[in-house]
Protein backbone atom coordinates (compact mmCIF):
# COMPACT_ATOMS: atom_id res chain seq x y z
CA UNK A 1 0.00 0.00 0.00
CA UNK A 2 2.84 2.40 0.74
CA UNK A 3 3.64 2.02 -2.96
CA UNK A 4 0.27 3.62 -3.78
CA UNK A 5 0.91 6.48 -1.36
CA UNK A 6 4.31 7.11 -2.93
CA UNK A 7 2.75 6.92 -6.37
CA UNK A 8 0.15 9.57 -5.49
CA UNK A 9 2.79 11.79 -3.88
CA UNK A 10 4.94 11.58 -7.02
CA UNK A 11 2.01 12.25 -9.34
CA UNK A 12 1.08 15.36 -7.31
CA UNK A 13 4.72 16.55 -7.24
CA UNK A 14 5.11 16.03 -11.00
CA UNK A 15 1.73 17.72 -11.50
CA UNK A 16 0.24 14.75 -13.35
CA UNK A 17 -2.46 15.15 -10.70
CA UNK A 18 -3.00 18.89 -10.28
CA UNK A 19 -5.63 21.46 -9.46
CA UNK A 20 -6.44 22.16 -5.83
CA UNK A 21 -9.60 20.04 -5.71
CA UNK A 22 -8.12 17.10 -7.59
CA UNK A 23 -5.11 16.81 -5.29
CA UNK A 24 -7.44 16.87 -2.26
CA UNK A 25 -9.65 14.14 -3.74
CA UNK A 26 -6.66 12.04 -4.87
CA UNK A 27 -5.25 12.20 -1.33
CA UNK A 28 -8.56 11.17 0.23
CA UNK A 29 -8.81 8.33 -2.27
CA UNK A 30 -5.29 7.18 -1.41
CA UNK A 31 -6.12 7.21 2.32
CA UNK A 32 -9.18 5.10 1.48
CA UNK A 33 -6.72 2.59 0.01
CA UNK A 34 -4.66 2.67 3.22
CA UNK A 35 -7.79 2.14 5.36
CA UNK A 36 -8.54 -0.99 3.38
CA UNK A 37 -5.05 -2.47 3.38
CA UNK A 38 -3.53 -5.18 5.63
CA UNK A 39 -3.04 -4.30 9.31
CA UNK A 40 -2.90 -6.24 12.58
CA UNK A 41 -5.18 -3.91 14.54
CA UNK A 42 -6.73 -0.44 14.64
CA UNK A 43 -3.63 1.05 16.23
CA UNK A 44 -1.41 -0.13 13.43
CA UNK A 45 -3.83 1.12 10.79
CA UNK A 46 -4.05 4.50 12.50
CA UNK A 47 -0.29 4.85 12.49
CA UNK A 48 -0.16 3.81 8.80
CA UNK A 49 -2.76 6.49 8.09
CA UNK A 50 -0.79 9.14 9.96
CA UNK A 51 2.40 8.27 8.04
CA UNK A 52 0.58 8.28 4.70
CA UNK A 53 -1.09 11.59 5.60
CA UNK A 54 2.25 13.24 6.38
CA UNK A 55 3.72 12.05 3.06
CA UNK A 56 0.71 13.27 1.10
CA UNK A 57 0.75 16.68 2.78
CA UNK A 58 4.39 17.14 1.84
CA UNK A 59 3.71 16.65 -1.90
CA UNK A 60 2.90 20.31 -2.67
CA UNK A 61 2.87 23.14 -0.13
CA UNK A 62 0.49 25.84 -1.34
CA UNK A 63 -3.01 24.45 -1.92
CA UNK A 64 -4.58 24.17 1.55
CA UNK A 65 -7.21 21.77 0.17
CA UNK A 66 -4.57 19.01 0.40
CA UNK A 67 -3.82 19.29 4.17
CA UNK A 68 -7.48 20.13 4.86
CA UNK A 69 -8.52 16.85 3.29
CA UNK A 70 -5.81 14.75 4.99
CA UNK A 71 -6.26 16.44 8.40
CA UNK A 72 -10.01 15.88 8.33
CA UNK A 73 -9.64 12.17 7.59
CA UNK A 74 -7.01 11.74 10.32
CA UNK A 75 -9.27 13.63 12.75
CA UNK A 76 -12.17 11.26 12.01
CA UNK A 77 -9.81 8.28 12.34
CA UNK A 78 -8.56 9.45 15.73
CA UNK A 79 -12.08 9.97 17.00
CA UNK A 80 -12.86 6.36 16.15
CA UNK A 81 -9.65 4.76 17.35
CA UNK A 82 -11.44 2.73 20.01
CA UNK A 83 -13.36 0.73 17.43
CA UNK A 84 -12.30 -2.81 16.54
CA UNK A 85 -10.40 -3.08 13.25
CA UNK A 86 -13.32 -4.13 11.01
CA UNK A 87 -15.68 -1.51 12.41
CA UNK A 88 -12.97 1.12 12.20
CA UNK A 89 -12.41 0.26 8.53
CA UNK A 90 -16.10 0.36 7.76
CA UNK A 91 -16.70 3.65 9.55
CA UNK A 92 -13.69 5.38 7.99
CA UNK A 93 -14.36 4.06 4.48
CA UNK A 94 -17.89 5.47 4.65
CA UNK A 95 -16.63 8.82 5.99
CA UNK A 96 -14.01 9.13 3.23
CA UNK A 97 -16.56 8.27 0.55
CA UNK A 98 -18.88 10.91 2.01
CA UNK A 99 -16.11 13.47 2.05
CA UNK A 100 -15.24 12.82 -1.60
CA UNK A 101 -18.92 13.03 -2.61
CA UNK A 102 -19.26 16.33 -0.76
CA UNK A 103 -16.37 17.75 -2.79
CA UNK A 104 -17.89 16.54 -6.04
CA UNK A 105 -21.27 18.01 -5.10
CA UNK A 106 -19.62 21.31 -4.13
CA UNK A 107 -18.14 21.83 -7.59
CA UNK A 108 -21.58 21.31 -9.19
CA UNK A 109 -23.29 23.55 -6.67
CA UNK A 110 -20.79 26.30 -7.48
CA UNK A 111 -21.57 25.89 -11.19
CA UNK A 112 -25.30 26.16 -10.47
CA UNK A 113 -24.91 29.29 -8.33
CA UNK A 114 -22.17 30.89 -10.43
CA UNK A 115 -24.01 30.43 -13.72
CA UNK A 116 -26.65 32.91 -12.49
CA UNK A 117 -23.96 35.58 -12.28
CA UNK A 118 -22.96 35.22 -15.92
CA UNK A 119 -25.05 37.10 -18.48
CA UNK A 120 -25.83 36.34 -22.08
CA UNK A 121 -23.03 37.64 -24.33
CA UNK A 122 -20.55 37.99 -21.48
CA UNK A 123 -16.88 37.83 -22.35
CA UNK A 124 -15.02 36.12 -19.51
CA UNK A 125 -11.29 36.01 -18.88
CA UNK A 126 -9.81 33.13 -16.90
CA UNK A 127 -6.26 32.34 -15.80
CA UNK A 128 -4.60 28.91 -15.50
CA UNK A 129 -6.89 25.88 -15.38
CA UNK A 130 -9.45 25.42 -12.68
CA UNK A 131 -11.91 22.52 -12.86
CA UNK A 132 -14.28 24.61 -10.78
CA UNK A 133 -14.24 27.49 -13.28
CA UNK A 134 -14.44 25.24 -16.35
CA UNK A 135 -17.39 23.36 -14.84
CA UNK A 136 -19.15 26.68 -14.17
CA UNK A 137 -18.56 27.94 -17.73
CA UNK A 138 -19.76 24.64 -19.14
CA UNK A 139 -22.98 24.97 -17.16
CA UNK A 140 -23.52 28.54 -18.45
CA UNK A 141 -23.10 27.25 -21.99
CA UNK A 142 -25.47 24.33 -21.41
CA UNK A 143 -28.09 26.78 -20.17
CA UNK A 144 -27.98 28.35 -23.62
CA UNK A 145 -26.23 31.62 -22.76
CA UNK A 146 -23.83 32.76 -25.45
CA UNK A 147 -20.48 33.50 -23.86
CA UNK A 148 -16.92 33.57 -25.01
CA UNK A 149 -13.78 33.08 -22.99
CA UNK A 150 -10.26 34.44 -23.10
CA UNK A 151 -7.61 32.16 -21.59
CA UNK A 152 -4.16 33.34 -20.59
CA UNK A 153 -1.62 30.69 -21.56
CA UNK A 154 -0.23 30.69 -17.98
CA UNK A 155 3.49 30.28 -18.31
CA UNK A 156 5.60 28.43 -17.47
CA UNK A 157 3.44 25.26 -17.50
CA UNK A 158 0.77 26.49 -19.92
CA UNK A 159 -2.26 25.22 -18.01
CA UNK A 160 -4.20 27.91 -19.95
CA UNK A 161 -3.88 25.68 -22.99
CA UNK A 162 -5.68 22.93 -21.08
CA UNK A 163 -8.49 25.38 -20.27
CA UNK A 164 -8.69 26.48 -23.91
CA UNK A 165 -8.76 22.89 -25.18
CA UNK A 166 -11.52 21.92 -22.71
CA UNK A 167 -13.66 24.95 -23.58
CA UNK A 168 -13.25 24.25 -27.30
CA UNK A 169 -14.29 20.65 -26.65
CA UNK A 170 -17.48 21.95 -24.99
CA UNK A 171 -18.04 24.21 -28.03
CA UNK A 172 -17.50 27.43 -26.09
CA UNK A 173 -15.78 30.11 -28.24
CA UNK A 174 -12.32 30.58 -26.78
CA UNK A 175 -9.27 32.74 -27.48
CA UNK A 176 -5.79 32.06 -26.11
CA UNK A 177 -3.50 34.99 -25.28
CA UNK A 178 0.02 35.29 -23.89
CA UNK A 179 0.03 36.31 -20.23
CA UNK A 180 1.45 39.73 -20.98
CA UNK A 181 -1.50 40.53 -23.29
CA UNK A 182 -3.94 40.37 -20.38
CA UNK A 183 -4.31 44.12 -19.80
CA UNK A 184 -4.66 44.95 -23.48
CA UNK A 185 -7.16 42.13 -24.03
CA UNK A 186 -9.23 43.09 -20.99
CA UNK A 187 -9.38 46.70 -22.20
CA UNK A 188 -9.57 46.41 -25.99
CA UNK A 189 -11.67 43.25 -26.19
CA UNK A 190 -14.11 44.50 -23.54
CA UNK A 191 -13.89 41.69 -21.03
CA UNK A 192 -16.98 41.71 -18.76
CA UNK A 193 -15.80 39.48 -15.93
CA UNK A 194 -12.71 37.71 -14.68
CA UNK A 195 -13.37 34.32 -13.08
CA UNK A 196 -10.51 32.38 -11.50
CA UNK A 197 -10.14 29.38 -9.21
CA UNK A 198 -8.34 29.18 -5.87
CA UNK A 199 -5.62 27.16 -4.21
CA UNK A 200 -6.04 28.71 -0.77
CA UNK A 201 -8.22 31.47 0.68
CA UNK A 202 -7.27 32.99 4.01
CA UNK A 203 -9.83 33.88 6.68
CA UNK A 204 -9.34 37.57 5.79
CA UNK A 205 -10.40 36.86 2.19
CA UNK A 206 -6.94 37.00 0.59
CA UNK A 207 -6.61 34.59 -2.33
CA UNK A 208 -3.63 32.43 -3.25
CA UNK A 209 -3.85 31.26 -6.83
CA UNK A 210 -1.66 30.63 -9.87
CA UNK A 211 1.16 33.10 -10.40
CA UNK A 212 -0.12 36.07 -12.40
CA UNK A 213 -3.57 36.13 -10.78
CA UNK A 214 -2.77 39.21 -8.70
CA UNK A 215 -1.78 41.33 -11.69
CA UNK A 216 -4.99 40.38 -13.49
CA UNK A 217 -6.89 41.49 -10.37
CA UNK A 218 -5.04 44.83 -10.47
CA UNK A 219 -6.00 45.27 -14.12
CA UNK A 220 -9.62 44.38 -13.31
CA UNK A 221 -9.70 47.03 -10.59
CA UNK A 222 -8.22 49.63 -12.92
CA UNK A 223 -10.72 48.77 -15.69
CA UNK A 224 -13.71 48.34 -13.36
CA UNK A 225 -14.23 44.70 -14.34
CA UNK A 226 -15.70 42.26 -11.79
CA UNK A 227 -13.05 39.95 -10.35
CA UNK A 228 -14.74 36.73 -9.23
CA UNK A 229 -13.28 33.67 -7.49
CA UNK A 230 -14.91 30.23 -7.72
CA UNK A 231 -13.85 28.15 -4.72
CA UNK A 232 -15.08 25.21 -2.67
CA UNK A 233 -14.81 25.84 1.07
CA UNK A 234 -12.24 23.02 1.30
CA UNK A 235 -9.81 25.65 -0.07
CA UNK A 236 -10.37 27.96 2.93
CA UNK A 237 -7.54 27.97 5.44
CA UNK A 238 -8.42 27.31 9.11
CA UNK A 239 -4.76 27.83 10.10
CA UNK A 240 -4.91 31.41 8.79
CA UNK A 241 -7.19 32.26 11.75
CA UNK A 242 -4.18 31.80 14.00
CA UNK A 243 -1.86 33.62 11.63
CA UNK A 244 -0.34 30.67 9.74
CA UNK A 245 0.40 31.21 6.08
CA UNK A 246 0.98 28.71 3.32
CA UNK A 247 4.37 28.45 1.67
CA UNK A 248 4.39 29.76 -1.89
CA UNK A 249 5.81 26.89 -3.92
CA UNK A 250 8.92 27.62 -5.97
CA UNK A 251 9.34 25.31 -8.91
CA UNK A 252 12.48 24.34 -10.86
CA UNK A 253 14.26 26.71 -13.25
CA UNK A 254 13.89 24.18 -16.08
CA UNK A 255 10.17 25.05 -16.24
CA UNK A 256 11.19 28.56 -17.33
CA UNK A 257 14.30 27.97 -19.46
CA UNK A 258 15.20 24.74 -21.24
CA UNK A 259 18.88 24.91 -20.39
CA UNK A 260 20.96 26.87 -17.95
CA UNK A 261 22.08 30.32 -19.15
CA UNK A 262 25.49 31.22 -17.69
CA UNK A 263 25.19 33.99 -15.11
CA UNK A 264 21.36 33.96 -15.09
CA UNK A 265 19.29 33.11 -12.03
CA UNK A 266 15.68 31.98 -12.44
CA UNK A 267 12.92 32.75 -9.91
CA UNK A 268 9.87 30.57 -10.52
CA UNK A 269 7.12 31.00 -7.88
CA UNK A 270 4.00 28.99 -8.77
CA UNK A 271 1.45 31.15 -6.92
CA UNK A 272 0.81 34.70 -5.77
CA UNK A 273 -1.49 36.50 -3.33
CA UNK A 274 -4.41 38.64 -4.43
CA UNK A 275 -5.57 40.78 -1.54
CA UNK A 276 -9.24 40.73 -0.55
CA UNK A 277 -9.83 44.33 -1.62
CA UNK A 278 -9.34 43.30 -5.26
CA UNK A 279 -11.95 40.54 -5.06
CA UNK A 280 -15.58 41.41 -5.78
CA UNK A 281 -17.09 38.08 -4.78
CA UNK A 282 -16.36 34.45 -4.04
CA UNK A 283 -18.70 31.76 -5.33
CA UNK A 284 -18.80 28.88 -2.84
CA UNK A 285 -21.06 25.84 -2.50
CA UNK A 286 -22.89 27.80 0.23
CA UNK A 287 -23.59 30.81 -1.98
CA UNK A 288 -21.97 34.01 -3.24
CA UNK A 289 -20.04 35.75 -0.47
CA UNK A 290 -17.84 38.82 -0.18
CA UNK A 291 -14.23 38.01 0.80
CA UNK A 292 -14.95 39.46 4.26
CA UNK A 293 -17.37 36.56 4.90
CA UNK A 294 -14.72 33.84 4.57
CA UNK A 295 -13.91 34.10 8.28
CA UNK A 296 -17.37 33.04 9.44
CA UNK A 297 -17.45 30.05 7.06
CA UNK A 298 -13.99 28.99 8.29
CA UNK A 299 -15.19 29.16 11.92
CA UNK A 300 -18.24 27.09 11.13
CA UNK A 301 -16.80 24.52 8.74
CA UNK A 302 -13.46 23.98 10.46
CA UNK A 303 -14.70 24.12 14.06
CA UNK A 304 -13.26 20.60 14.51
CA UNK A 305 -9.82 21.92 13.64
CA UNK A 306 -9.98 25.19 15.58
CA UNK A 307 -11.24 23.69 18.84
P1 LIG B 1 -9.28 23.58 -9.24
C1 LIG B 1 -4.30 25.33 -9.94
O1 LIG B 1 -2.97 25.18 -9.51
C2 LIG B 1 -4.61 26.76 -10.32
O2 LIG B 1 -3.95 27.72 -9.53
C3 LIG B 1 -6.11 26.74 -10.15
O3 LIG B 1 -6.67 28.04 -10.09
C4 LIG B 1 -6.22 25.99 -8.83
O4 LIG B 1 -5.22 24.98 -8.90
C5 LIG B 1 -7.57 25.42 -8.51
O5 LIG B 1 -7.88 24.33 -9.32
P2 LIG B 1 -1.97 24.06 -10.15
O6 LIG B 1 -2.32 22.74 -9.50
O7 LIG B 1 -9.38 22.93 -7.90
O8 LIG B 1 -2.13 24.05 -11.65
O9 LIG B 1 -10.38 24.60 -9.43
O10 LIG B 1 -0.59 24.54 -9.74
O11 LIG B 1 -9.21 22.59 -10.37
Amino acid sequence: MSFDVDKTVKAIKDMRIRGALDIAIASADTLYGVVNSEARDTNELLSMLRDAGEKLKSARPTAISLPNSVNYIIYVAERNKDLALDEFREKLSAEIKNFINEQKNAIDKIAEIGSRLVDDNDRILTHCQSDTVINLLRRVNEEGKEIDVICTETRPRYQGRISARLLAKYKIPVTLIVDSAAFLAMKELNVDKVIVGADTIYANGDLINKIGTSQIALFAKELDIDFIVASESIKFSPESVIGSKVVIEERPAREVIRSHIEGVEVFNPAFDITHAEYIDMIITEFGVIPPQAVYSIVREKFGWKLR
Side-chain angles (χ1 to χ4, degrees), residues 241-276:
V241 172
I242 52 160
S244 284
K245 299 195 167 150
V246 293
V247 171
I248 301 287
E249 177 181 6
E250 277 184 42
R251 299 199 52 93
R254 63 171 184 278
E255 290 185 346
V256 179
I257 47 171
R258 277 203 200 107
S259 51
H260 176 71
I261 306 171
E262 203 47 50
V264 176
E265 291 288 330
V266 172
F267 174 48
N268 183 22
F271 302 94
D272 63 19
I273 302 182
T274 301
H275 293 295

Side-chain angles (χ1 to χ4, degrees), residues 138 141 145 147 164-174:
R138 195 180 173 188
N141 184 53
K145 287 181 202 161
I147 53 164
R165 229 177 263 128
L166 285 169
L167 293 165
K169 186 172 122 195
Y170 302 139
K171 308 268 181 272
I172 299 173
V174 59

Side-chain angles (χ1 to χ4, degrees), residues 119-269:
D119 299 315
D120 207 19
N121 294 315
D122 265 357
R123 173 163 286 162
I124 315 277
L125 181 135
T126 192
H127 184 56
C128 196
Q129 192 266 326
S130 152
D131 282 349
T132 314
V133 174
I134 299 290
N135 196 46
L136 189 166
L137 296 173
R138 195 180 173 188
R139 167 99 188 209
V140 172
N141 184 53
E142 280 167 3
E143 285 175 357
K145 287 181 202 161
E146 306 237 339
I147 53 164
D148 74 78
V149 182
I150 296 176
C151 295
T152 52
E153 60 180 357
T154 320
R155 263 189 62 82
R157 294 187 67 100
Y158 301 103
Q159 292 101 319
R161 292 178 184 169
I162 308 175
S163 291
R165 229 177 263 128
L166 285 169
L167 293 165
K169 186 172 122 195
Y170 302 139
K171 308 268 181 272
I172 299 173
V174 59
T175 306
L176 192 64
I177 58 169
V178 297
D179 298 319
S180 39
F183 183 74
L184 181 140
M186 287 164 77
K187 192 172 173 205
E188 306 289 330
L189 304 181
N190 299 317
V191 165
D192 297 290
K193 293 175 177 87
V194 172
I195 310 182
V196 295
D199 288 87
T200 294
I201 301 183
Y202 288 150
N204 69 356
D206 286 356
L207 161 75
I208 291 111
N209 194 51
K210 184 57 52 191
I211 191 76
T213 302
S214 61
Q215 63 199 26
I216 292 171
L218 287 172
F219 302 156
K221 181 76 122 192
E222 169 71 18
L223 298 168
D224 202 19
I225 295 170
D226 277 350
F227 184 89
I228 302 171
V229 181
S231 172
E232 300 77 12
S233 58
I234 191 72
K235 297 167 186 167
F236 291 3
S237 164
E239 287 84 0
S240 65
V241 172
I242 52 160
S244 284
K245 299 195 167 150
V246 293
V247 171
I248 301 287
E249 177 181 6
E250 277 184 42
R251 299 199 52 93
R254 63 171 184 278
E255 290 185 346
V256 179
I257 47 171
R258 277 203 200 107
S259 51
H260 176 71
I261 306 171
E262 203 47 50
V264 176
E265 291 288 330
V266 172
F267 174 48
N268 183 22

